[in-house]
mmCIF file of all heavy atoms in Angstrom:
data_model
loop_
_atom_site.group_PDB
_atom_site.id
_atom_site.type_symbol
_atom_site.label_atom_id
_atom_site.label_comp_id
_atom_site.label_asym_id
_atom_site.label_seq_id
_atom_site.Cartn_x
_atom_site.Cartn_y
_atom_site.Cartn_z
ATOM 1 N N MET W 869 1.532 14.903 0.827
ATOM 2 C CA MET W 869 2.478 13.806 0.580
ATOM 3 C C MET W 869 2.059 12.578 1.387
ATOM 4 O O MET W 869 1.612 12.710 2.520
ATOM 5 C CB MET W 869 3.883 14.225 0.996
ATOM 6 C CG MET W 869 4.480 15.318 0.123
ATOM 7 S SD MET W 869 4.801 14.747 -1.545
ATOM 8 C CE MET W 869 6.327 13.832 -1.283
ATOM 9 N N PRO W 870 2.214 11.391 0.819
ATOM 10 C CA PRO W 870 1.847 10.172 1.544
ATOM 11 C C PRO W 870 2.774 9.911 2.718
ATOM 12 O O PRO W 870 4.000 10.039 2.603
ATOM 13 C CB PRO W 870 1.983 9.075 0.488
ATOM 14 C CG PRO W 870 2.923 9.633 -0.527
ATOM 15 C CD PRO W 870 2.726 11.116 -0.526
ATOM 16 N N LYS W 871 2.184 9.559 3.850
ATOM 17 C CA LYS W 871 2.986 9.269 5.037
ATOM 18 C C LYS W 871 2.821 7.793 5.403
ATOM 19 O O LYS W 871 1.703 7.332 5.617
ATOM 20 C CB LYS W 871 2.526 10.133 6.207
ATOM 21 C CG LYS W 871 3.369 9.971 7.461
ATOM 22 C CD LYS W 871 2.874 10.916 8.560
ATOM 23 C CE LYS W 871 3.862 10.979 9.719
ATOM 24 N NZ LYS W 871 3.989 9.703 10.427
ATOM 25 N N PRO W 872 3.925 7.062 5.481
ATOM 26 C CA PRO W 872 3.821 5.651 5.850
ATOM 27 C C PRO W 872 3.578 5.480 7.343
ATOM 28 O O PRO W 872 3.940 6.345 8.156
ATOM 29 C CB PRO W 872 5.173 5.072 5.442
ATOM 30 C CG PRO W 872 6.098 6.227 5.457
ATOM 31 C CD PRO W 872 5.296 7.459 5.171
ATOM 32 N N GLU W 873 2.976 4.368 7.695
ATOM 33 C CA GLU W 873 2.791 4.008 9.099
ATOM 34 C C GLU W 873 3.211 2.562 9.289
ATOM 35 O O GLU W 873 3.014 1.736 8.405
ATOM 36 C CB GLU W 873 1.321 4.167 9.509
ATOM 37 C CG GLU W 873 0.930 5.597 9.789
ATOM 38 C CD GLU W 873 -0.424 5.687 10.488
ATOM 39 O OE1 GLU W 873 -1.073 4.644 10.661
ATOM 40 O OE2 GLU W 873 -0.812 6.802 10.829
ATOM 41 N N VAL W 874 3.778 2.276 10.464
ATOM 42 C CA VAL W 874 4.165 0.908 10.792
ATOM 43 C C VAL W 874 3.268 0.395 11.914
ATOM 44 O O VAL W 874 3.124 1.045 12.948
ATOM 45 C CB VAL W 874 5.649 0.833 11.233
ATOM 46 C CG1 VAL W 874 5.986 -0.568 11.739
ATOM 47 C CG2 VAL W 874 6.565 1.212 10.078
ATOM 48 N N ASN W 875 2.670 -0.767 11.684
ATOM 49 C CA ASN W 875 1.898 -1.431 12.729
ATOM 50 C C ASN W 875 2.871 -2.222 13.611
ATOM 51 O O ASN W 875 3.424 -3.236 13.192
ATOM 52 C CB ASN W 875 0.870 -2.375 12.083
ATOM 53 C CG ASN W 875 0.000 -3.060 13.124
ATOM 54 O OD1 ASN W 875 0.429 -3.315 14.248
ATOM 55 N ND2 ASN W 875 -1.232 -3.350 12.740
ATOM 56 N N HIS W 876 3.103 -1.727 14.809
ATOM 57 C CA HIS W 876 4.104 -2.331 15.683
ATOM 58 C C HIS W 876 3.677 -3.682 16.236
ATOM 59 O O HIS W 876 4.506 -4.442 16.739
ATOM 60 C CB HIS W 876 4.456 -1.366 16.820
ATOM 61 C CG HIS W 876 5.236 -0.188 16.337
ATOM 62 N ND1 HIS W 876 5.215 1.031 16.950
ATOM 63 C CD2 HIS W 876 6.069 -0.042 15.274
ATOM 64 C CE1 HIS W 876 5.992 1.884 16.278
ATOM 65 N NE2 HIS W 876 6.508 1.250 15.268
ATOM 66 N N ASP W 877 2.407 -3.992 16.157
ATOM 67 C CA ASP W 877 1.958 -5.326 16.573
ATOM 68 C C ASP W 877 2.395 -6.379 15.561
ATOM 69 O O ASP W 877 2.554 -7.547 15.905
ATOM 70 C CB ASP W 877 0.431 -5.362 16.711
ATOM 71 C CG ASP W 877 -0.049 -4.514 17.874
ATOM 72 O OD1 ASP W 877 0.726 -4.346 18.841
ATOM 73 O OD2 ASP W 877 -1.175 -4.018 17.812
ATOM 74 N N LEU W 878 2.592 -5.942 14.312
ATOM 75 C CA LEU W 878 2.960 -6.883 13.246
ATOM 76 C C LEU W 878 4.458 -6.898 12.972
ATOM 77 O O LEU W 878 5.013 -7.928 12.602
ATOM 78 C CB LEU W 878 2.217 -6.512 11.952
ATOM 79 C CG LEU W 878 0.694 -6.615 11.972
ATOM 80 C CD1 LEU W 878 0.109 -6.120 10.647
ATOM 81 C CD2 LEU W 878 0.253 -8.054 12.219
ATOM 82 N N CYS W 879 5.124 -5.742 13.115
ATOM 83 C CA CYS W 879 6.535 -5.616 12.750
ATOM 84 C C CYS W 879 7.390 -6.626 13.520
ATOM 85 O O CYS W 879 7.275 -6.748 14.740
ATOM 86 C CB CYS W 879 7.019 -4.196 13.050
ATOM 87 S SG CYS W 879 8.781 -3.964 12.736
ATOM 88 N N ILE W 880 8.257 -7.347 12.772
ATOM 89 C CA ILE W 880 9.168 -8.314 13.394
ATOM 90 C C ILE W 880 10.605 -7.799 13.419
ATOM 91 O O ILE W 880 11.531 -8.533 13.739
ATOM 92 C CB ILE W 880 9.114 -9.676 12.665
ATOM 93 C CG1 ILE W 880 9.438 -9.500 11.171
ATOM 94 C CG2 ILE W 880 7.751 -10.335 12.854
ATOM 95 C CD1 ILE W 880 9.619 -10.814 10.413
ATOM 96 N N GLY W 881 10.781 -6.522 13.038
ATOM 97 C CA GLY W 881 12.100 -5.898 13.142
ATOM 98 C C GLY W 881 13.148 -6.422 12.181
ATOM 99 O O GLY W 881 14.334 -6.456 12.511
ATOM 100 N N CYS W 882 12.739 -6.800 10.988
ATOM 101 C CA CYS W 882 13.697 -7.385 10.041
ATOM 102 C C CYS W 882 14.637 -6.348 9.443
ATOM 103 O O CYS W 882 15.703 -6.690 8.945
ATOM 104 C CB CYS W 882 12.952 -8.101 8.924
ATOM 105 S SG CYS W 882 12.104 -6.994 7.778
ATOM 106 N N GLY W 883 14.247 -5.076 9.449
ATOM 107 C CA GLY W 883 15.129 -4.018 8.954
ATOM 108 C C GLY W 883 15.047 -3.741 7.466
ATOM 109 O O GLY W 883 15.754 -2.871 6.962
ATOM 110 N N THR W 884 14.202 -4.474 6.755
ATOM 111 C CA THR W 884 14.116 -4.281 5.302
ATOM 112 C C THR W 884 13.688 -2.863 4.942
ATOM 113 O O THR W 884 14.265 -2.246 4.051
ATOM 114 C CB THR W 884 13.109 -5.277 4.698
ATOM 115 O OG1 THR W 884 13.562 -6.599 4.974
ATOM 116 C CG2 THR W 884 12.989 -5.093 3.185
ATOM 117 N N CYS W 885 12.700 -2.341 5.631
ATOM 118 C CA CYS W 885 12.203 -0.997 5.302
ATOM 119 C C CYS W 885 13.291 0.051 5.530
ATOM 120 O O CYS W 885 13.448 0.972 4.729
ATOM 121 C CB CYS W 885 10.954 -0.674 6.106
ATOM 122 S SG CYS W 885 11.123 -0.892 7.879
ATOM 123 N N GLU W 886 14.055 -0.101 6.601
ATOM 124 C CA GLU W 886 15.125 0.858 6.867
ATOM 125 C C GLU W 886 16.195 0.805 5.778
ATOM 126 O O GLU W 886 16.717 1.842 5.356
ATOM 127 C CB GLU W 886 15.763 0.602 8.233
ATOM 128 C CG GLU W 886 16.807 1.644 8.596
ATOM 129 C CD GLU W 886 17.529 1.324 9.893
ATOM 130 O OE1 GLU W 886 17.992 0.180 10.038
ATOM 131 O OE2 GLU W 886 17.627 2.217 10.752
ATOM 132 N N SER W 887 16.510 -0.390 5.304
ATOM 133 C CA SER W 887 17.539 -0.483 4.266
ATOM 134 C C SER W 887 17.045 0.115 2.953
ATOM 135 O O SER W 887 17.835 0.643 2.179
ATOM 136 C CB SER W 887 17.996 -1.930 4.087
ATOM 137 O OG SER W 887 16.956 -2.740 3.621
ATOM 138 N N LEU W 888 15.738 0.068 2.704
ATOM 139 C CA LEU W 888 15.182 0.638 1.474
ATOM 140 C C LEU W 888 14.997 2.147 1.594
ATOM 141 O O LEU W 888 15.245 2.887 0.636
ATOM 142 C CB LEU W 888 13.835 -0.013 1.151
ATOM 143 C CG LEU W 888 13.884 -1.467 0.670
ATOM 144 C CD1 LEU W 888 12.481 -2.054 0.625
ATOM 145 C CD2 LEU W 888 14.541 -1.563 -0.701
ATOM 146 N N CYS W 889 14.531 2.619 2.732
ATOM 147 C CA CYS W 889 14.244 4.050 2.946
ATOM 148 C C CYS W 889 14.812 4.495 4.292
ATOM 149 O O CYS W 889 14.061 4.728 5.252
ATOM 150 C CB CYS W 889 12.734 4.294 2.936
ATOM 151 S SG CYS W 889 11.908 3.894 1.405
ATOM 152 N N PRO W 890 16.123 4.644 4.363
ATOM 153 C CA PRO W 890 16.748 4.976 5.651
ATOM 154 C C PRO W 890 16.369 6.348 6.198
ATOM 155 O O PRO W 890 16.526 6.600 7.391
ATOM 156 C CB PRO W 890 18.250 4.881 5.352
ATOM 157 C CG PRO W 890 18.374 4.979 3.878
ATOM 158 C CD PRO W 890 17.120 4.426 3.288
ATOM 159 N N ASN W 891 15.870 7.234 5.340
ATOM 160 C CA ASN W 891 15.449 8.550 5.832
ATOM 161 C C ASN W 891 14.065 8.518 6.458
ATOM 162 O O ASN W 891 13.666 9.461 7.150
ATOM 163 C CB ASN W 891 15.448 9.573 4.688
ATOM 164 C CG ASN W 891 16.844 9.852 4.167
ATOM 165 O OD1 ASN W 891 17.819 9.742 4.919
ATOM 166 N ND2 ASN W 891 16.937 10.191 2.900
ATOM 167 N N VAL W 892 13.330 7.463 6.191
ATOM 168 C CA VAL W 892 11.942 7.375 6.655
ATOM 169 C C VAL W 892 11.794 6.396 7.825
ATOM 170 O O VAL W 892 11.105 6.682 8.804
ATOM 171 C CB VAL W 892 11.011 6.948 5.498
ATOM 172 C CG1 VAL W 892 9.588 6.726 6.012
ATOM 173 C CG2 VAL W 892 11.033 7.990 4.387
ATOM 174 N N PHE W 893 12.462 5.246 7.710
ATOM 175 C CA PHE W 893 12.307 4.204 8.735
ATOM 176 C C PHE W 893 13.584 4.075 9.547
ATOM 177 O O PHE W 893 14.677 4.010 8.999
ATOM 178 C CB PHE W 893 11.992 2.858 8.081
ATOM 179 C CG PHE W 893 10.741 2.861 7.248
ATOM 180 C CD1 PHE W 893 10.821 2.967 5.866
ATOM 181 C CD2 PHE W 893 9.494 2.766 7.840
ATOM 182 C CE1 PHE W 893 9.663 2.969 5.085
ATOM 183 C CE2 PHE W 893 8.336 2.774 7.068
ATOM 184 C CZ PHE W 893 8.418 2.873 5.687
ATOM 185 N N LYS W 894 13.439 4.047 10.869
ATOM 186 C CA LYS W 894 14.580 3.826 11.759
ATOM 187 C C LYS W 894 14.236 2.691 12.707
ATOM 188 O O LYS W 894 13.178 2.682 13.337
ATOM 189 C CB LYS W 894 14.868 5.087 12.580
ATOM 190 C CG LYS W 894 15.579 6.186 11.779
ATOM 191 C CD LYS W 894 17.075 5.996 11.739
ATOM 192 C CE LYS W 894 17.787 7.045 10.904
ATOM 193 N NZ LYS W 894 17.728 6.792 9.466
ATOM 194 N N MET W 895 15.175 1.743 12.828
ATOM 195 C CA MET W 895 14.971 0.647 13.763
ATOM 196 C C MET W 895 15.288 1.125 15.177
ATOM 197 O O MET W 895 16.300 1.776 15.419
ATOM 198 C CB MET W 895 15.890 -0.530 13.409
ATOM 199 C CG MET W 895 15.707 -1.058 12.006
ATOM 200 S SD MET W 895 13.986 -1.498 11.627
ATOM 201 C CE MET W 895 13.716 -2.769 12.870
ATOM 202 N N GLU W 896 14.384 0.823 16.095
ATOM 203 C CA GLU W 896 14.583 1.218 17.491
ATOM 204 C C GLU W 896 13.821 0.233 18.366
ATOM 205 O O GLU W 896 12.623 0.000 18.132
ATOM 206 C CB GLU W 896 14.052 2.643 17.692
ATOM 207 C CG GLU W 896 14.728 3.393 18.826
ATOM 208 C CD GLU W 896 14.205 4.827 18.926
ATOM 209 O OE1 GLU W 896 14.432 5.606 17.983
ATOM 210 O OE2 GLU W 896 13.550 5.126 19.939
ATOM 211 N N GLY W 897 14.511 -0.342 19.307
ATOM 212 C CA GLY W 897 13.860 -1.288 20.202
ATOM 213 C C GLY W 897 13.297 -2.498 19.479
ATOM 214 O O GLY W 897 12.290 -3.065 19.900
ATOM 215 N N GLY W 898 13.934 -2.875 18.372
ATOM 216 C CA GLY W 898 13.500 -4.062 17.650
ATOM 217 C C GLY W 898 12.304 -3.842 16.749
ATOM 218 O O GLY W 898 11.766 -4.796 16.201
ATOM 219 N N LYS W 899 11.869 -2.602 16.609
ATOM 220 C CA LYS W 899 10.752 -2.280 15.722
ATOM 221 C C LYS W 899 11.139 -1.122 14.815
ATOM 222 O O LYS W 899 12.020 -0.334 15.136
ATOM 223 C CB LYS W 899 9.505 -1.858 16.532
ATOM 224 C CG LYS W 899 9.038 -2.870 17.563
ATOM 225 C CD LYS W 899 8.225 -3.970 16.940
ATOM 226 C CE LYS W 899 7.739 -4.945 18.029
ATOM 227 N NZ LYS W 899 6.934 -6.039 17.470
ATOM 228 N N SER W 900 10.433 -1.021 13.703
ATOM 229 C CA SER W 900 10.665 0.081 12.784
ATOM 230 C C SER W 900 9.785 1.267 13.166
ATOM 231 O O SER W 900 8.603 1.109 13.472
ATOM 232 C CB SER W 900 10.323 -0.369 11.363
ATOM 233 O OG SER W 900 10.360 0.732 10.488
ATOM 234 N N HIS W 901 10.395 2.446 13.171
ATOM 235 C CA HIS W 901 9.655 3.666 13.479
ATOM 236 C C HIS W 901 9.742 4.641 12.318
ATOM 237 O O HIS W 901 10.804 4.790 11.709
ATOM 238 C CB HIS W 901 10.209 4.323 14.750
ATOM 239 C CG HIS W 901 10.032 3.482 15.970
ATOM 240 N ND1 HIS W 901 8.971 3.626 16.834
ATOM 241 C CD2 HIS W 901 10.765 2.442 16.433
ATOM 242 C CE1 HIS W 901 9.062 2.719 17.798
ATOM 243 N NE2 HIS W 901 10.138 1.986 17.584
ATOM 244 N N VAL W 902 8.640 5.307 12.030
ATOM 245 C CA VAL W 902 8.611 6.294 10.953
ATOM 246 C C VAL W 902 9.129 7.614 11.510
ATOM 247 O O VAL W 902 8.584 8.151 12.477
ATOM 248 C CB VAL W 902 7.183 6.471 10.401
ATOM 249 C CG1 VAL W 902 7.152 7.577 9.353
ATOM 250 C CG2 VAL W 902 6.699 5.154 9.789
ATOM 251 N N VAL W 903 10.199 8.131 10.901
ATOM 252 C CA VAL W 903 10.828 9.336 11.421
ATOM 253 C C VAL W 903 10.762 10.503 10.441
ATOM 254 O O VAL W 903 11.348 11.549 10.673
ATOM 255 C CB VAL W 903 12.305 9.069 11.809
ATOM 256 C CG1 VAL W 903 12.375 8.102 12.983
ATOM 257 C CG2 VAL W 903 13.097 8.535 10.624
ATOM 258 N N ALA W 904 10.041 10.337 9.334
ATOM 259 C CA ALA W 904 9.919 11.420 8.364
ATOM 260 C C ALA W 904 8.440 11.710 8.111
ATOM 261 O O ALA W 904 7.590 10.841 8.276
ATOM 262 C CB ALA W 904 10.612 11.063 7.062
ATOM 263 N N GLU W 905 8.144 12.920 7.729
ATOM 264 C CA GLU W 905 6.760 13.331 7.506
ATOM 265 C C GLU W 905 6.170 12.727 6.241
ATOM 266 O O GLU W 905 4.964 12.558 6.122
ATOM 267 C CB GLU W 905 6.665 14.854 7.417
ATOM 268 C CG GLU W 905 6.704 15.542 8.765
ATOM 269 C CD GLU W 905 5.594 15.037 9.685
ATOM 270 O OE1 GLU W 905 4.428 15.098 9.281
ATOM 271 O OE2 GLU W 905 5.902 14.565 10.788
ATOM 272 N N ASP W 906 7.021 12.446 5.264
ATOM 273 C CA ASP W 906 6.524 11.844 4.034
ATOM 274 C C ASP W 906 7.635 11.048 3.376
ATOM 275 O O ASP W 906 8.766 11.040 3.838
ATOM 276 C CB ASP W 906 5.968 12.902 3.083
ATOM 277 C CG ASP W 906 7.025 13.913 2.714
ATOM 278 O OD1 ASP W 906 8.053 13.514 2.154
ATOM 279 O OD2 ASP W 906 6.828 15.111 2.997
ATOM 280 N N CYS W 907 7.296 10.364 2.298
ATOM 281 C CA CYS W 907 8.254 9.469 1.656
ATOM 282 C C CYS W 907 9.392 10.223 0.984
ATOM 283 O O CYS W 907 10.497 9.717 0.873
ATOM 284 C CB CYS W 907 7.551 8.596 0.622
ATOM 285 S SG CYS W 907 6.376 7.461 1.368
ATOM 286 N N GLY W 908 9.147 11.426 0.521
ATOM 287 C CA GLY W 908 10.214 12.218 -0.064
ATOM 288 C C GLY W 908 10.872 11.559 -1.257
ATOM 289 O O GLY W 908 10.203 11.228 -2.222
ATOM 290 N N ASP W 909 12.180 11.348 -1.144
ATOM 291 C CA ASP W 909 12.935 10.901 -2.317
ATOM 292 C C ASP W 909 13.191 9.401 -2.360
ATOM 293 O O ASP W 909 14.047 8.940 -3.104
ATOM 294 C CB ASP W 909 14.255 11.667 -2.416
ATOM 295 C CG ASP W 909 15.078 11.526 -1.146
ATOM 296 O OD1 ASP W 909 14.639 10.794 -0.240
ATOM 297 O OD2 ASP W 909 16.152 12.153 -1.062
ATOM 298 N N CYS W 910 12.490 8.623 -1.564
ATOM 299 C CA CYS W 910 12.641 7.174 -1.690
ATOM 300 C C CYS W 910 11.313 6.565 -2.110
ATOM 301 O O CYS W 910 10.310 7.259 -2.235
ATOM 302 C CB CYS W 910 13.131 6.546 -0.382
ATOM 303 S SG CYS W 910 11.896 6.549 0.926
ATOM 304 N N ASP W 911 11.319 5.251 -2.338
ATOM 305 C CA ASP W 911 10.110 4.582 -2.811
ATOM 306 C C ASP W 911 9.492 3.791 -1.662
ATOM 307 O O ASP W 911 9.795 2.617 -1.464
ATOM 308 C CB ASP W 911 10.461 3.664 -3.978
ATOM 309 C CG ASP W 911 9.208 3.047 -4.611
ATOM 310 O OD1 ASP W 911 8.112 3.285 -4.082
ATOM 311 O OD2 ASP W 911 9.355 2.338 -5.615
ATOM 312 N N CYS W 912 8.634 4.462 -0.888
ATOM 313 C CA CYS W 912 8.026 3.790 0.261
ATOM 314 C C CYS W 912 7.092 2.667 -0.175
ATOM 315 O O CYS W 912 6.862 1.731 0.586
ATOM 316 C CB CYS W 912 7.269 4.793 1.128
ATOM 317 S SG CYS W 912 8.376 5.792 2.147
ATOM 318 N N GLN W 913 6.559 2.776 -1.385
ATOM 319 C CA GLN W 913 5.698 1.683 -1.859
ATOM 320 C C GLN W 913 6.500 0.388 -1.951
ATOM 321 O O GLN W 913 5.977 -0.696 -1.683
ATOM 322 C CB GLN W 913 5.092 2.044 -3.221
ATOM 323 C CG GLN W 913 4.049 1.030 -3.713
ATOM 324 C CD GLN W 913 2.874 0.894 -2.749
ATOM 325 O OE1 GLN W 913 2.286 1.890 -2.336
ATOM 326 N NE2 GLN W 913 2.550 -0.341 -2.357
ATOM 327 N N GLU W 914 7.789 0.508 -2.311
ATOM 328 C CA GLU W 914 8.633 -0.675 -2.365
ATOM 329 C C GLU W 914 8.794 -1.268 -0.955
ATOM 330 O O GLU W 914 8.808 -2.481 -0.785
ATOM 331 C CB GLU W 914 9.999 -0.319 -2.961
ATOM 332 C CG GLU W 914 10.866 -1.539 -3.237
ATOM 333 C CD GLU W 914 12.237 -1.170 -3.804
ATOM 334 O OE1 GLU W 914 12.511 0.029 -3.975
ATOM 335 O OE2 GLU W 914 13.009 -2.106 -4.067
ATOM 336 N N ALA W 915 8.909 -0.402 0.043
ATOM 337 C CA ALA W 915 9.007 -0.885 1.417
ATOM 338 C C ALA W 915 7.719 -1.586 1.828
ATOM 339 O O ALA W 915 7.740 -2.647 2.463
ATOM 340 C CB ALA W 915 9.304 0.282 2.359
ATOM 341 N N VAL W 916 6.586 -1.007 1.449
ATOM 342 C CA VAL W 916 5.289 -1.641 1.737
ATOM 343 C C VAL W 916 5.252 -3.036 1.125
ATOM 344 O O VAL W 916 4.884 -4.016 1.773
ATOM 345 C CB VAL W 916 4.129 -0.793 1.172
ATOM 346 C CG1 VAL W 916 2.805 -1.551 1.267
ATOM 347 C CG2 VAL W 916 4.035 0.534 1.906
ATOM 348 N N ASP W 917 5.650 -3.116 -0.150
ATOM 349 C CA ASP W 917 5.584 -4.386 -0.867
ATOM 350 C C ASP W 917 6.610 -5.389 -0.354
ATOM 351 O O ASP W 917 6.423 -6.602 -0.503
ATOM 352 C CB ASP W 917 5.810 -4.147 -2.364
ATOM 353 C CG ASP W 917 4.707 -3.307 -2.997
ATOM 354 O OD1 ASP W 917 3.610 -3.237 -2.396
ATOM 355 O OD2 ASP W 917 4.940 -2.724 -4.070
ATOM 356 N N SER W 918 7.711 -4.898 0.238
ATOM 357 C CA SER W 918 8.792 -5.788 0.666
ATOM 358 C C SER W 918 8.668 -6.241 2.104
ATOM 359 O O SER W 918 9.353 -7.188 2.514
ATOM 360 C CB SER W 918 10.140 -5.072 0.494
ATOM 361 O OG SER W 918 10.348 -4.709 -0.857
ATOM 362 N N CYS W 919 7.836 -5.595 2.894
ATOM 363 C CA CYS W 919 7.684 -5.986 4.302
ATOM 364 C C CYS W 919 7.107 -7.402 4.372
ATOM 365 O O CYS W 919 6.036 -7.663 3.831
ATOM 366 C CB CYS W 919 6.756 -5.009 5.028
ATOM 367 S SG CYS W 919 6.483 -5.498 6.754
ATOM 368 N N PRO W 920 7.813 -8.318 5.045
ATOM 369 C CA PRO W 920 7.378 -9.720 5.048
ATOM 370 C C PRO W 920 6.084 -9.972 5.812
ATOM 371 O O PRO W 920 5.445 -10.997 5.608
ATOM 372 C CB PRO W 920 8.566 -10.450 5.714
ATOM 373 C CG PRO W 920 9.244 -9.397 6.524
ATOM 374 C CD PRO W 920 9.067 -8.104 5.760
ATOM 375 N N VAL W 921 5.698 -9.023 6.679
ATOM 376 C CA VAL W 921 4.477 -9.247 7.470
ATOM 377 C C VAL W 921 3.411 -8.187 7.176
ATOM 378 O O VAL W 921 2.437 -8.041 7.914
ATOM 379 C CB VAL W 921 4.787 -9.277 8.980
ATOM 380 C CG1 VAL W 921 5.612 -10.515 9.316
ATOM 381 C CG2 VAL W 921 5.515 -8.021 9.416
ATOM 382 N N SER W 922 3.613 -7.435 6.086
ATOM 383 C CA SER W 922 2.656 -6.404 5.665
ATOM 384 C C SER W 922 2.303 -5.448 6.796
ATOM 385 O O SER W 922 1.128 -5.126 7.027
ATOM 386 C CB SER W 922 1.367 -7.059 5.130
ATOM 387 O OG SER W 922 1.671 -7.882 4.024
ATOM 388 N N ALA W 923 3.341 -4.990 7.505
ATOM 389 C CA ALA W 923 3.114 -4.105 8.653
ATOM 390 C C ALA W 923 3.066 -2.621 8.257
ATOM 391 O O ALA W 923 2.685 -1.787 9.066
ATOM 392 C CB ALA W 923 4.221 -4.311 9.688
ATOM 393 N N ILE W 924 3.456 -2.313 7.012
ATOM 394 C CA ILE W 924 3.540 -0.906 6.597
ATOM 395 C C ILE W 924 2.338 -0.540 5.750
ATOM 396 O O ILE W 924 1.974 -1.270 4.826
ATOM 397 C CB ILE W 924 4.828 -0.628 5.797
ATOM 398 C CG1 ILE W 924 6.054 -1.130 6.574
ATOM 399 C CG2 ILE W 924 4.977 0.856 5.502
ATOM 400 C CD1 ILE W 924 7.341 -1.091 5.743
ATOM 401 N N SER W 925 1.738 0.583 6.058
ATOM 402 C CA SER W 925 0.666 1.115 5.219
ATOM 403 C C SER W 925 0.995 2.562 4.901
ATOM 404 O O SER W 925 1.791 3.200 5.573
ATOM 405 C CB SER W 925 -0.678 1.027 5.932
ATOM 406 O OG SER W 925 -0.631 1.716 7.159
ATOM 407 N N ILE W 926 0.389 3.055 3.831
ATOM 408 C CA ILE W 926 0.602 4.452 3.443
ATOM 409 C C ILE W 926 -0.736 5.163 3.442
ATOM 410 O O ILE W 926 -1.698 4.708 2.833
ATOM 411 C CB ILE W 926 1.262 4.550 2.048
ATOM 412 C CG1 ILE W 926 2.680 3.961 2.088
ATOM 413 C CG2 ILE W 926 1.318 6.000 1.581
ATOM 414 C CD1 ILE W 926 3.415 4.026 0.775
ATOM 415 N N GLU W 927 -0.800 6.268 4.171
ATOM 416 C CA GLU W 927 -2.055 7.022 4.283
ATOM 417 C C GLU W 927 -2.386 7.704 2.970
ATOM 418 O O GLU W 927 -1.529 8.310 2.350
ATOM 419 C CB GLU W 927 -1.916 8.097 5.358
ATOM 420 C CG GLU W 927 -2.040 7.552 6.750
ATOM 421 C CD GLU W 927 -1.911 8.679 7.786
ATOM 422 O OE1 GLU W 927 -1.686 9.842 7.406
ATOM 423 O OE2 GLU W 927 -2.032 8.364 8.971
HETATM 424 S S1 SF4 M 1216 10.014 -4.379 6.747
HETATM 425 FE FE1 SF4 M 1216 8.190 -4.696 8.019
HETATM 426 S S2 SF4 M 1216 8.751 -6.248 9.549
HETATM 427 FE FE2 SF4 M 1216 10.643 -5.458 8.627
HETATM 428 S S3 SF4 M 1216 11.289 -3.818 10.039
HETATM 429 FE FE3 SF4 M 1216 10.082 -2.855 8.392
HETATM 430 S S4 SF4 M 1216 7.969 -2.788 9.192
HETATM 431 FE FE4 SF4 M 1216 9.126 -4.231 10.460
#
């Protein structure tokens, strides 16, 4: 299963990814953290495409 990654040097903590995939992304300390092993039942590609600073990649 594809696992997303967040580049914390780029993330500006806007929260968009968490609102799209709350089971995968959790905001903590002003940055998004990946808390799930894979995308599962949400559309992580949408989170990738919606991140304003292109901080999310999928392995
Ligand atoms: S959408 Fe991008 S910039 Fe916004 S919190 Fe998620 S990873 Fe960070």
